Amino acid sequence: MTLPHNPGNVGETRPPQAVQVHRLERRQEEEQQEQRQHSLHMGSSVQRRTFRSSEEEYQFSAADYALAAALVLTASSETSWEAQLRRRSSAVELEERGQKRVGFGNDLERTEIAFLRTQWLLRQSRDRKALRRRTEEKVREAKELRELCSSRGPWFWIPLRSHAVWEHTTVLLTCTVQASPPPQVTWYKNDMRLDPRLFPAGKYRITNNYGLLTLEIRRCTVEDAATYTVIVKNAYGQASSFAKVLVRTYLGKDAGFDSEIFKRLMFGPSVEFTSVLTPVFAREKEPFSLTCYFSEDVLDAEQNIQWSRDGRLLRSSRRRQILYADRQASLKVSCAYKEDEGFYTVQVTSPFGPREQSTYVFVKDATAEKLGAPGSPLNVRCLDVNRDCLILTWTPPSDTRGSPIFGYSIEWCQGESEQWVPCHEAPGGTCRCPIQGLVEGQSYRFRVRAINKAGSSLPSKASEPVVMGDHDEARRKIEIPFDLGNKISVSTDDFEDFVTIPSTPTNVHASEIRETYVVLGWEEPRPRGKAPLTYTLEKSVIGSGTWEAISTETPVKSPRFALLDLEKGKSYVFRVRAINKYGMSDPSESSEPITLKGKPATLPPPAQVQAFRDTQTSVSLTWDPVKESPELLGYYIYSREAGSSEWQTVNNKPIQGNTFTVPGLRTGKEYEFCVRSVSEAGVGESSAATEPIRVKQALATPSAPYDFILLNCGKNDMVIGWKPPKRRGGGKILGYFLDQHDSEELDWHPVNQQPVPTQVCKVSNLREGHFYEFRARAANWAGVGELSAPSSLFECKEWTMPQPGPPYDVRAFEVRATSLMLKWDPPLYTGAGPVTGYRISFQEEGSEQWKPVTPDPISGTHLRISDLQPGKSYVFRVQALNSAGPGQPSMPTDPILLEDKPDAPEIKVGVDEEGFIYLAFEAPEAPDSSEFQWSKDYKGPLDPQRVKIEEEVNKSKVILKEPGLEDLGTYSVVVTDADEDISASHTLTEEELNKLKKLSHEIRNPVIKLISGWNVDILEQGEVRLWLEVEKLSPAAELHLIFNEKEIFSSPNRKINFDREKGLVEVIIQNLSEDDKGSYTAQLQDGKAKNQITLALVDDDFDKLLRKADAKRRDWKRKQGPYFEELLQWKVTEDCQVLLTCKVTNTKKETCFQWFFQKKETPDGQYDPQTGAGLLRIEELSREDMGIYRAAVSDDRGLDDTILDLTGEGLDAIFTELGRIGALSATPLKIQGTEEGIRIFSKVKYYNAEYMKTTWFHKEKRLDSSDRVRAGTTLNEIWLHILDPKDSDKGKYILEIAAGKEMRQLSADLSGQAFDDAMAEHQRLKALAIIEKNRAKVVRGLPDVATIMEDKTLCLTCVISGDPAPEIFWLKNDQPVTFLDRYHMEVRGSEVTITIEKVNSEDSGRYGVFVKNKYGSETGQVTISVFKHGEEPKELKEM
């Protein structure tokens, strides 16, 4: 044991017994210290009870609380010498007691332990005695109660209570009576016995349910205001109770009320649901809603209508709206998450107890961003929130899309910013992760994505916002009440002002150990001081003997820290130091050795998964829960249709219980189910699949029959009828048990001991003139069902009326959107004569008026009623008529809603494999015990002589034995024992029957199906192939081939092939000749199936075939040498070139290719030996190219040629094609200004006036050539020239080009800016033309070079022009020539001559004549070379 003030013992092991004794001593010392404090300061005699029995309790007065408050207020400021003395004495006493324990060993400890044990035994003995006394008292009280309740007169435990109600409302008087034996009950109204038979049916309703007596008065009127008394009596006495009923008439504001007060003061009506909540299959991120309807308005709907999910009350929020209007309550969710999945319940307050409905909402995963990515996680929660860290947990998704999840991505968002930032990657083995580095005081939200090999899922729903803070601060505060409700809040930090450097943290331990991290926790130092604390951590590997500081990115402010970088397989110990602004504490004691755990294992699957039938579309599942699994989050359920290999998720939010009902299944289909456990480690393995279960209604006891009616009455007997139960319990009704009650007697008596199989029962041995009421129960294989409500009172009085009684068992079937079939049984009492007809009437929903269906009575007991309004509900009843008139109406049907059910089954008519005509009806939702009742023309069962009925599971088929006109009519079928109408009908007409009989004949007398009749092909070498194709035949099929009435067989010239697998018959004739002319017939037989196909090869058909075969044979022989694979043909290119092409094949090196035109070889042709292609190009086709073109190829194997005639039609076709291409090549019209006017033109690649026609239009008016407008064409241009343009020439111009069948139109708009620009260009060019015409020019005359011998005379003459006459200048080497001595110039009209006499070498050079006038100038130049006598001119030398 570690002793105080003895540091030498630190680290020694303490014995467990010593530790326990030390704790007991420490507690006693603290109690004694508290007592001394009370005695020194307050002088109080309050004594603390250390041990107490179970019967003792603490009791504190107001004075005690005041003293405690005062003690706290004065404790912090206590500085007197008494306080210092008390501290010193306590310390000395503790030290002495510790030394005394060391001196005397363990004797004192053993004595104290024995004393405490004895004290505990005495207290336990006292508790046993007290318990025994209480048990004896309870037994005595129970015995007295039994004696009091047996054999005593009646007495009212709860008497009647008076009521004040509004007119037209319902009042319920209730009381509770106790008596033994049960008493006889009688009700009175104003001292007059209350007999419900004397009032309208349903006005009063009296019940006695095990001593709870009720009197219900419906739709109260002023006459119902009275004093109501109930008298009860038995053999030991009687008792009575009375109450007054006050009925008030609402008079509006004249009575001092308004409508709102009236609604609040009136007795609220009984609210019932008029609709049923059905399962909802929503999708994540999409809206869904739940809606229900009520029979009455709900007052204070916000308070009286409550929605809940999985037992938790729901309120309106940003995503969720709870609405009520017009008797309709709805819950709308704008954006669904998987957290919204669950069991939803709506509850409404009603005077007779709350009414509620429930359903399940399924939320499927949203479509992933990447194909194959898993579903999103859910239920993201923040746990263990501290100043700077927390633990984040979530639930794994149910659907991984076929690829396991190997990790999770965590994102956070500060506040409501919606800026999500990735913060952590969690491994896939766990759904739990520590989050560190958070900011104190900041709000955070988190969301998670699941990751598999296909990619990342959509993000989960964000967690609830959490605010980082010191959550241990509240535990450091104490609230002390005083002075009648006031409180004083005291914090332990207020007493630690003297603390500077904090104490050592304690209890360093691993609060959580996982596969990849350890969460280290410790307790704050005490005392801790008021300065803010941070912590540093150190770790040491076991066996290393050294400590290493753990580095953190941010200071650790919370007594929690997650270690994420530990190595697996190593053991660590940790210690912690506390730091504040004053310094650092000593290290804490080392933690226990800590090692990372292995990968967490998923939970095992639940066992004993069993599936049971529930409803027509649901199955109930149960399983044994996984035991001893605190980490269990729930279960995921998966389903699949029997025979399928792919499992589908049922729920996306784990189920907490071990039962679940799976809705939305297909009726009649078989399903398998499995269950998987869900934990933070992930989704476990699948359980064993259940046995396939067919979705059907589970067997249950039926509901109660209802609507009793009197069908016939004698002196001492009655015939009673009723309607079958609305819920038959998924099985056949075996019969009914009927009870009767005489109104003058107290007890009910059974009518029958054995069940009555029909809905009609004759009750005998009745007393004439008495009133009787009846009730019944239906029985099926599950047992006897609910007891019906009593019928109305029927008087036992013989019927003698002349009119007939009521028809009964009025039922509707084949209900569709606008029609139904009504059927009934005739009345049992016919009156004075036979029934002559029936009158059917109906009543629309919300109306009280009965209207006739037909203007005249009908004679049968069935009627198809048509032309009804879809979506409405109708009620029908039937009256029988005889000679005395109409009789009593039948009991009205239940309201029938007219609608087309999308999956309503219909009768299918067809022919089976054996050729029998059948009518089949399938009803997957039919109960197992159902029967299919067929009838024809609604007149009873079918004639077994004409039909045969075959039954299968949920299916019935009627087979016509010998179909004939007698079988025409309407066939109807009704499925029995079904809660809803399952029926259909089909009218078999003569036309339909004939088609079915024809099909039946084809099936019974099969014909081999012909795929392709006789075909004739000519093979490559000229053989003729005759073939036909039929369906696949068996190996036993036979073929007989008949030619001209004689069977033929294979021969060298005529080969016959018969492929049974392919159904192919072929005849190959090697050399077709006149001997092969005639008819060919193939006779086929395969079992019973036969067929015969004939081909006639005669007359012209044979002659044509013979010619083609010979030509094919010759062509084959031609191809044995080089031959033309592609014959000579022409082609026009886009550049309007004509190409003659052909192609040769089967050539060799020696093969010769030649081109010929008009029987003459032409060298222009080309031939490529590599490809065998021949080409002759005609650049510009003209009439000169008209003629016969021939290409020939030859070698030693033979000769082949091909000819192309380009005369007549052939040439015209090429020119037409050239014209078409030329027309298509025409460019858009352009506008150009010229010196004469405006020119509009289009460029073409080719133009031929003979084969291309052009027409110009101006303002949709054709233009012809005139003095001002000229149109023309060239080989590559089509133009229109407008001379001297004017404003009238403005407008739209259209060029129409026609080439054969090709027509093209081009347009240009010569107006506006286009006209102005063209006119400006015209004026400019016109001015330039004038200038060019009158400009001074050297027209001709001067050569480029002239040579002359010395001493000769040189004469140079040129012609000039210009208006006005130009000035003339001669230049020599760009210098003016001075006309003196030997130089002379002469001008004669437009001729200018320069003469140089006796030229010498100095006269050599470049001479020019320069002319100019006001329009311009020009220079003509010539080079003069002078050579000496005897020399050769330079130009001659160069030559």
Side-chain angles (χ1 to χ4, degrees):
M1 180 173 67
T2 302
L3 299 176
H5 311 291
N6 190 3
N9 293 334
V10 174
E12 295 180 5
T13 304
R14 304 177 183 179
Q17 186 178 5
V19 174
Q20 183 178 6
V21 172
H22 176 64
R23 290 174 178 171
L24 293 173
E25 291 175 349
R26 181 64 178 170
R27 186 174 64 179
Q28 292 175 357
E29 290 170 1
E30 291 174 354
E31 292 172 355
Q32 293 173 3
Q33 187 176 3
E34 286 183 358
Q35 292 176 1
R36 285 196 298 272
Q37 289 177 354
H38 278 276
S39 61
L40 288 173
H41 288 274
M42 308 302 300
S44 173
S45 59
V46 176
Q47 184 177 1
R48 180 180 179 89
R49 297 175 179 176
T50 305
F51 301 98
R52 55 178 178 162
S53 67
S54 59
E55 293 180 344
E56 294 176 321
E57 296 179 355
Y58 290 118
Q59 295 181 355
F60 296 98
S61 63
D64 295 332
Y65 288 115
L67 291 174
L71 176 62
V72 173
L73 291 173
T74 57
S76 62
S77 60
E78 186 179 44
T79 58
S80 66
W81 65 272
E82 293 179 351
Q84 297 175 4
L85 179 62
R86 184 164 57 255
R87 292 196 193 99
R88 293 173 184 173
S89 62
S90 299
V92 172
E93 183 180 0
L94 289 174
E95 184 176 359
E96 291 176 351
R97 294 179 62 182
Q99 294 174 355
K100 190 180 295 184
R101 293 190 192 97
V102 176
F104 292 97
N106 293 329
D107 294 338
L108 180 59
E109 294 176 0
R110 286 194 293 269
T111 303
E112 290 181 350
I113 291 174
F115 171 78
L116 294 173
R117 180 174 178 82
T118 303
Q119 197 172 22
W120 177 77
L121 292 173
L122 291 174
R123 186 169 65 250
Q124 191 176 31
S125 175
R126 181 175 180 180
D127 289 343
R128 290 197 190 98
K129 291 180 181 179
L131 183 60
R132 187 180 300 110
R133 287 196 303 270
R134 290 183 180 179
T135 303
E136 292 174 353
E137 290 177 359
K138 289 183 178 180
V139 171
R140 178 175 50 79
E141 292 174 355
K143 184 177 180 181
E144 291 176 357
L145 181 61
R146 285 195 301 271
E147 294 175 353
L148 184 64
C149 294
S150 62
S151 302
R152 61 167 296 166
W155 61 285
F156 285 90
W157 181 263
I158 299 176
L160 292 175
R161 182 174 61 86
S162 297
H163 290 71
V165 298
W166 294 100
E167 193 177 17
H168 305 305
T169 60
T170 299
V171 64
L172 184 69
L173 302 177
T174 62
C175 62
T176 304
V177 65
Q178 292 187 356
S180 181
Q184 181 180 357
V185 182
T186 308
W187 287 87
Y188 295 88
K189 174 184 178 182
N190 290 338
D191 298 330
M192 297 293 293
R193 181 175 178 180
L194 197 60
D195 190 350
R197 296 173 299 179
L198 304 178
F199 297 89
K203 177 63 178 178
Y204 295 99
R205 185 175 179 84
I206 299 173
T207 61
N208 181 357
N209 190 7
Y210 301 103
L212 177 63
L213 310 182
T214 61
L215 170 63
E216 183 180 8
I217 309 172
R218 298 181 178 178
R219 297 187 64 82
C220 291
T221 61
V222 178
E223 290 76 16
D224 293 319
T227 300
Y228 292 86
T229 305
V230 58
I231 298 177
V232 293
K233 62 180 179 179
N234 63 5
Y236 297 93
Q238 73 174 24
S240 65
S241 178
F242 71 94
K244 291 186 177 181
V245 175
L246 177 62
V247 181
R248 296 178 177 175
T249 303
Y250 177 66
L251 301 177
K253 294 186 178 180
D254 296 337
F257 302 97
D258 58 22
S259 60
E260 184 64 22
I261 296 177
F262 168 65
K263 292 180 180 179
R264 291 182 178 274
L265 294 182
M266 66 178 288
F267 186 72
S270 177
V271 179
E272 301 290 344
F273 288 96
T274 58
S275 63
V276 178
L277 288 178
T278 57
V280 174
F281 297 89
R283 187 172 290 276
E284 199 175 7
K285 307 298 176 63
E286 295 180 1
F288 74 88
S289 62
L290 294 171
T291 303
C292 60
Y293 298 89
F294 303 108
S295 59
E296 303 288 343
D297 282 325
V298 181
L299 303 180
D300 294 330
E302 186 175 352
Q303 300 295 329
N304 293 329
I305 300 177
Q306 295 181 341
W307 290 86
S308 60
R309 182 185 67 233
D310 296 332
R312 298 183 61 182
L313 190 64
L314 299 178
R315 301 291 185 190
S316 293
S317 64
R318 185 174 59 182
R319 285 192 311 110
R320 185 191 308 120
Q321 283 185 308
I322 297 177
L323 307 173
Y324 174 80
D326 298 331
R327 302 183 182 181
Q328 175 182 339
S330 58
L331 172 69
K332 296 183 178 180
V333 177
S334 59
C335 180
Y337 290 98
K338 290 193 284 190
E339 288 82 354
D340 296 315
E341 181 172 303
F343 197 70
Y344 284 74
T345 301
V346 57
Q347 187 181 81
V348 60
T349 304
S350 182
F352 304 107
R355 303 287 190 266
E356 66 178 31
Q357 281 190 1
S358 301
T359 191
Y360 204 90
V361 174
F362 297 86
V363 181
K364 298 181 180 179
D365 281 304
T367 303
E369 295 175 348
K370 295 183 179 180
L371 185 65
S376 59
L378 65 155
N379 293 337
V380 181
R381 296 185 301 159
C382 300
L383 307 178
D384 197 13
V385 180
N386 290 278
R387 290 182 177 180
D388 55 359
C389 64
L390 54 80
I391 300 294
L392 194 69
T393 67
W394 59 89
T395 300
S398 62
D399 191 1
T400 62
R401 310 275 167 78
S403 178
I405 295 173
F406 58 76
Y408 294 92
S409 173
I410 302 173
E411 303 172 353
W412 75 19
C413 167
Q414 293 188 2
E416 300 293 333
S417 65
E418 296 299 333
Q419 296 180 358
W420 293 95
V421 180
C423 67
H424 200 79
E425 293 285 341
T430 179
C431 295
R432 189 181 184 95
C433 182
I435 306 296
Q436 300 184 135
L438 306 178
V439 180
E440 184 176 5
Q442 181 64 52
S443 172
Y444 292 91
R445 291 183 297 153
F446 299 87
R447 67 185 189 185
V448 183
R449 298 174 184 260
I451 306 173
N452 65 5
K453 67 178 183 180
S456 175
S457 72
L458 295 174
S460 67
K461 178 187 176 184
S463 66
E464 294 295 328
V466 292
V467 179
M468 311 307 295
D470 185 5
H471 295 274
D472 291 333
E473 184 178 1
R475 292 196 293 268
R476 296 198 295 268
K477 290 185 179 180
I478 302 173
E479 291 186 349
I480 302 175
F482 76 99
D483 194 15
L484 300 177
N486 295 325
K487 294 182 180 179
I488 296 177
S489 180
V490 180
S491 175
T492 57
D493 296 344
D494 298 336
F495 302 97
E496 298 181 357
D497 289 337
F498 64 91
V499 177
T500 55
I501 298 177
S503 303
T504 302
T506 58
N507 191 22
V508 180
H509 64 285
S511 62
E512 187 175 332
I513 302 177
R514 296 284 170 173
E515 178 190 9
T516 57
Y517 69 89
V518 170
V519 177
L520 205 64
W522 59 89
E523 294 182 3
E524 290 184 337
R526 294 182 181 177
R528 66 188 297 276
K530 299 184 67 174
L533 290 179
T534 59
Y535 301 93
T536 63
L537 293 86
E538 300 174 355
K539 68 179 178 180
S540 174
V541 179
I542 296 296
S544 65
T546 60
W547 289 91
E548 177 186 353
I550 299 175
S551 62
T552 59
E553 295 181 358
T554 57
V556 179
K557 299 181 180 180
S558 305
R560 297 285 187 278
F561 188 77
L563 301 166
L564 305 175
D565 56 351
L566 301 182
E567 298 182 21
K568 292 185 178 180
K570 291 185 178 182
S571 294
Y572 297 84
V573 290
F574 302 90
R575 64 186 186 186
V576 184
R577 298 174 186 262
I579 305 174
N580 65 7
K581 64 181 181 180
Y582 299 107
M584 179 188 297
S585 72
D586 294 332
S588 66
E589 293 186 4
S590 302
S591 67
E592 295 292 332
I594 299 171
T595 305
L596 290 177
K597 289 184 177 180
K599 184 176 181 179
T602 58
L603 295 178
Q608 298 296 323
V609 181
Q610 295 180 329
F612 304 95
R613 288 183 177 179
D614 185 52
T615 67
Q616 295 278 19
T617 58
S618 63
V619 168
S620 179
L621 297 180
T622 64
W623 58 88
D624 293 342
V626 178
K627 298 180 180 179
E628 300 178 359
S629 53
E631 295 184 354
L632 179 68
L633 299 178
Y635 303 94
Y636 282 138
I637 300 174
Y638 301 84
S639 69
R640 68 182 179 188
E641 285 194 23
S644 173
S645 60
E646 184 176 356
W647 290 97
Q648 303 291 334
T649 57
V650 173
N651 61 311
N652 285 286
K653 180 179 177 182
I655 297 167
Q656 303 303 319
N658 63 333
T659 61
F660 190 74
T661 299
V662 182
L665 304 178
R666 298 171 61 187
T667 305
K669 295 292 183 179
E670 288 190 343
Y671 287 86
E672 296 176 338
F673 301 90
C674 70
V675 183
R676 303 172 73 178
S677 304
V678 187
S679 64
E680 290 184 351
V683 182
E685 295 295 327
S686 299
S687 67
T690 62
E691 292 294 328
I693 183 172
R694 190 177 299 276
V695 181
K696 283 292 187 67
Q697 173 72 46
L699 191 62
T701 56
S703 60
Y706 62 103
D707 283 354
F708 292 83
I709 187 173
L710 183 61
L711 301 178
N712 197 0
C713 188
K715 290 184 178 180
N716 303 108
D717 56 68
M718 292 181 178
V719 179
I720 304 297
W722 58 86
K723 292 182 181 179
K726 293 183 179 180
R727 291 182 294 101
R728 301 171 187 258
K732 180 179 181 180
I733 300 296
L734 302 177
Y736 298 89
F737 294 94
L738 193 66
D739 295 339
Q740 69 179 33
H741 175 237
D742 191 333
S743 62
E744 297 183 2
E745 297 179 359
L746 295 177
D747 299 329
W748 287 80
H749 301 283
V751 173
N752 55 312
Q753 298 298 327
Q754 297 297 325
V756 178
T758 63
Q759 295 156 219
V760 177
C761 181
K762 184 175 182 180
V763 183
S764 304
N765 301 323
L766 303 178
R767 290 185 289 180
E768 187 176 7
H770 282 233
F771 287 87
Y772 291 89
E773 59 182 346
F774 300 89
R775 63 187 185 188
R777 295 184 182 184
N780 62 8
W781 290 113
V784 180
E786 301 173 5
L787 181 64
S788 70
S791 68
S792 302
L793 290 172
F794 301 124
E795 184 180 8
C796 184
K797 182 178 180 181
E798 184 178 8
W799 282 2
T800 59
M801 54 195 177
Q803 296 85 2
Y808 66 99
D809 198 15
V810 182
R811 55 198 180 277
F813 51 95
E814 298 178 28
V815 179
R816 300 297 183 263
T818 59
S819 64
L820 56 83
M821 177 62 68
L822 202 67
K823 194 173 183 180
W824 59 91
D825 289 341
L828 300 180
Y829 177 79
T830 58
V835 175
T836 59
Y838 298 92
R839 179 179 297 164
I840 297 94
S841 54
F842 71 95
Q843 189 181 78
E844 293 184 6
E845 181 182 14
S847 174
E848 297 183 356
Q849 180 182 3
W850 289 94
K851 301 178 182 179
V853 174
T854 58
D856 300 320
I858 65 170
S859 58
T861 58
H862 64 273
L863 176 65
R864 180 173 294 278
I865 304 175
S866 304
D867 299 329
L868 300 175
Q869 296 186 18
K872 281 195 172 184
S873 294
Y874 292 86
V875 176
F876 298 90
R877 70 180 185 184
V878 182
Q879 286 178 280
L881 290 84
N882 63 6
S883 58
Q888 300 179 18
S890 67
M891 181 65 69
T893 64
D894 294 335
I896 302 168
L897 177 62
L898 296 184
E899 61 179 352
D900 276 333
K901 296 181 180 179
D903 54 351
E906 298 291 345
I907 295 176
K908 296 181 180 179
V909 182
V911 181
D912 61 17
E913 297 177 353
E914 298 181 359
F916 290 104
I917 299 174
Y918 68 86
L919 295 91
F921 184 75
E922 185 174 4
E925 64 274 17
D928 292 338
S929 61
S930 295
E931 296 180 0
F932 291 79
Q933 294 182 350
W934 290 88
S935 65
K936 182 185 175 187
D937 297 329
Y938 305 100
K939 294 180 180 178
L942 302 179
D943 184 2
Q945 300 296 326
R946 301 203 58 81
V947 300
K948 175 185 176 183
I949 299 178
E950 294 181 354
E951 300 286 348
E952 298 178 10
V953 178
N954 302 330
K955 187 175 181 180
S956 179
K957 184 164 70 171
V958 173
I959 299 176
L960 303 182
K961 294 182 177 180
E962 296 181 1
L965 298 178
E966 300 87 347
D967 297 309
L968 301 180
T970 299
Y971 290 81
S972 62
V973 60
V974 177
V975 178
T976 63
D977 303 326
D979 293 338
E980 296 182 357
D981 170 52
I982 306 177
S983 59
S985 64
H986 180 81
T987 301
L988 186 63
T989 62
E990 184 176 359
E991 180 182 0
E992 184 180 18
L993 181 61
N994 291 334
K995 291 181 180 179
L996 295 172
K997 290 171 68 176
K998 180 179 179 181
L999 180 59
S1000 174
H1001 176 76
E1002 293 175 355
I1003 293 175
R1004 292 183 177 183
N1005 301 279
V1007 175
I1008 296 177
K1009 183 180 178 181
L1010 181 65
I1011 297 177
S1012 176
W1014 279 110
N1015 295 273
V1016 180
D1017 294 336
I1018 300 176
L1019 302 183
E1020 184 181 9
Q1021 298 183 20
E1023 305 101 323
V1024 175
R1025 177 176 177 255
L1026 312 178
W1027 64 275
L1028 62 86
E1029 185 180 4
V1030 296
E1031 61 183 335
K1032 180 181 177 181
L1033 302 175
S1034 69
E1038 297 179 359
L1039 167 67
H1040 297 279
L1041 189 60
I1042 309 300
F1043 173 63
N1044 293 336
E1045 300 182 355
K1046 292 182 181 181
E1047 185 174 1
I1048 60 175
F1049 305 94
S1050 289
S1051 64
N1053 187 50
R1054 189 186 291 127
K1055 296 180 180 179
I1056 301 174
N1057 298 322
F1058 182 30
D1059 190 340
R1060 296 171 177 81
E1061 180 70 20
K1062 297 180 180 179
L1064 182 65
V1065 177
E1066 66 176 0
V1067 179
I1068 299 177
I1069 304 173
Q1070 298 294 331
N1071 293 300
L1072 187 67
S1073 64
E1074 291 292 335
D1075 295 338
D1076 299 311
K1077 182 188 295 186
S1079 63
Y1080 294 81
T1081 301
Q1083 296 178 351
L1084 296 170
Q1085 183 173 357
D1086 189 3
K1088 295 182 179 180
K1090 298 179 181 180
N1091 205 340
Q1092 179 174 300
I1093 307 98
T1094 300
L1095 170 66
L1097 284 180
V1098 294
D1099 301 333
D1100 292 342
D1101 294 337
F1102 179 81
D1103 296 338
K1104 290 180 181 178
L1105 180 62
L1106 183 60
R1107 288 195 296 272
K1108 289 182 179 179
D1110 291 339
K1112 192 74 172 180
R1113 190 179 303 108
R1114 289 194 302 271
D1115 185 64
W1116 176 79
K1117 291 180 180 180
R1118 177 181 65 86
K1119 292 180 179 179
Q1120 301 309 303
Y1123 68 93
F1124 284 94
E1125 183 182 18
E1126 295 179 5
L1127 300 180
L1128 196 58
Q1129 57 186 348
W1130 59 266
K1131 177 184 177 183
V1132 179
T1133 67
E1134 293 295 327
D1135 295 331
C1136 297
Q1137 295 179 349
V1138 178
L1139 304 180
L1140 305 183
T1141 62
C1142 59
K1143 189 173 183 181
V1144 181
T1145 187
N1146 197 20
T1147 61
K1148 61 182 182 178
K1149 186 177 182 181
E1150 293 79 9
T1151 301
C1152 176
F1153 188 97
Q1154 294 174 298
W1155 282 98
F1156 295 92
F1157 175 62
Q1158 296 293 76
K1159 298 182 180 181
K1160 295 181 180 180
E1161 185 174 356
T1162 175
D1164 297 336
Q1166 301 176 13
Y1167 170 66
D1168 186 357
Q1170 300 296 327
T1171 61
L1175 174 65
L1176 180 62
R1177 188 188 307 273
I1178 303 174
E1179 296 290 343
E1180 294 183 3
L1181 184 69
S1182 64
R1183 291 288 177 181
E1184 297 177 356
D1185 300 311
M1186 181 176 63
I1188 304 297
Y1189 291 84
R1190 175 174 170 263
V1193 61
S1194 62
D1195 58 19
D1196 56 358
R1197 294 171 296 172
L1199 169 68
D1200 193 19
D1201 63 356
T1202 176
I1203 297 174
L1204 180 63
D1205 185 2
L1206 290 187
T1207 60
E1209 294 181 357
L1211 189 63
D1212 291 342
I1214 297 179
F1215 278 123
T1216 301
E1217 180 65 14
L1218 283 170
R1220 186 188 69 83
I1221 295 177
L1224 293 177
S1225 68
T1227 62
L1229 291 179
K1230 293 184 179 180
I1231 301 173
Q1232 181 184 31
T1234 66
E1235 59 183 84
E1236 293 88 0
I1238 297 176
R1239 187 168 180 267
I1240 303 174
F1241 66 93
S1242 172
K1243 295 287 186 179
V1244 293
K1245 293 182 179 180
Y1246 176 85
Y1247 186 82
N1248 189 321
E1250 185 178 353
Y1251 292 92
M1252 298 175 66
K1253 304 298 180 183
T1254 59
T1255 307
W1256 287 93
F1257 296 89
H1258 178 221
K1259 297 180 182 179
E1260 299 183 356
K1261 184 178 179 180
R1262 181 171 177 173
L1263 290 177
D1264 295 323
S1265 294
S1266 63
D1267 294 339
R1268 290 186 58 253
V1269 178
R1270 298 176 184 175
T1273 60
T1274 63
L1275 284 177
N1276 60 354
E1277 189 175 79
I1278 304 172
W1279 51 266
L1280 177 71
H1281 209 160
I1282 305 171
L1283 305 178
D1284 191 16
K1286 301 177 181 179
D1287 287 343
S1288 61
D1289 296 321
K1290 293 182 179 179
K1292 183 177 181 181
Y1293 287 82
I1294 296 175
L1295 170 61
E1296 184 176 275
I1297 307 174
K1301 296 181 179 180
E1302 189 72 28
M1303 178 72 71
R1304 188 175 182 196
Q1305 284 188 348
L1306 304 174
S1307 64
D1309 188 5
L1310 184 61
S1311 61
Q1313 187 65 35
F1315 182 80
D1316 295 342
D1317 293 343
M1319 283 295 294
E1321 181 69 10
H1322 163 63
Q1323 297 294 339
R1324 186 183 70 82
L1325 293 177
K1326 185 177 180 181
L1328 289 176
I1330 294 173
I1331 292 173
E1332 183 65 20
K1333 180 179 179 182
N1334 297 324
R1335 179 176 64 84
K1337 295 189 293 289
V1338 178
V1339 179
R1340 65 180 181 274
L1342 291 179
D1344 293 335
V1345 177
T1347 59
I1348 190 169
M1349 186 182 296
E1350 285 183 338
D1351 298 329
K1352 297 290 183 181
T1353 299
L1354 175 66
C1355 183
L1356 297 175
T1357 303
C1358 65
V1359 178
I1360 64 172
S1361 66
D1363 187 14
E1367 299 180 29
I1368 304 170
F1369 303 94
W1370 282 93
L1371 303 175
K1372 177 183 178 183
N1373 295 330
D1374 298 330
Q1375 297 295 325
V1377 175
T1378 304
F1379 291 95
L1380 296 174
D1381 300 331
R1382 295 183 297 115
Y1383 290 84
H1384 303 280
M1385 181 179 68
E1386 183 181 1
V1387 179
R1388 289 181 298 190
S1390 62
E1391 291 184 357
V1392 178
T1393 303
I1394 182 172
T1395 303
I1396 305 175
E1397 298 175 350
K1398 296 181 179 182
V1399 294
N1400 55 39
S1401 58
E1402 294 179 357
D1403 295 324
S1404 297
R1406 187 175 69 253
Y1407 287 80
V1409 57
F1410 176 73
V1411 294
K1412 73 174 182 178
N1413 61 8
K1414 66 177 181 180
Y1415 292 109
S1417 63
E1418 187 175 306
T1419 301
Q1421 293 183 345
V1422 60
T1423 300
I1424 303 298
S1425 177
V1426 179
F1427 61 93
K1428 295 180 179 181
H1429 295 277
E1431 292 182 356
E1432 187 177 359
K1434 186 183 296 184
E1435 290 75 4
L1436 297 176
K1437 290 181 181 180
E1438 293 177 355
M1439 294 178 61

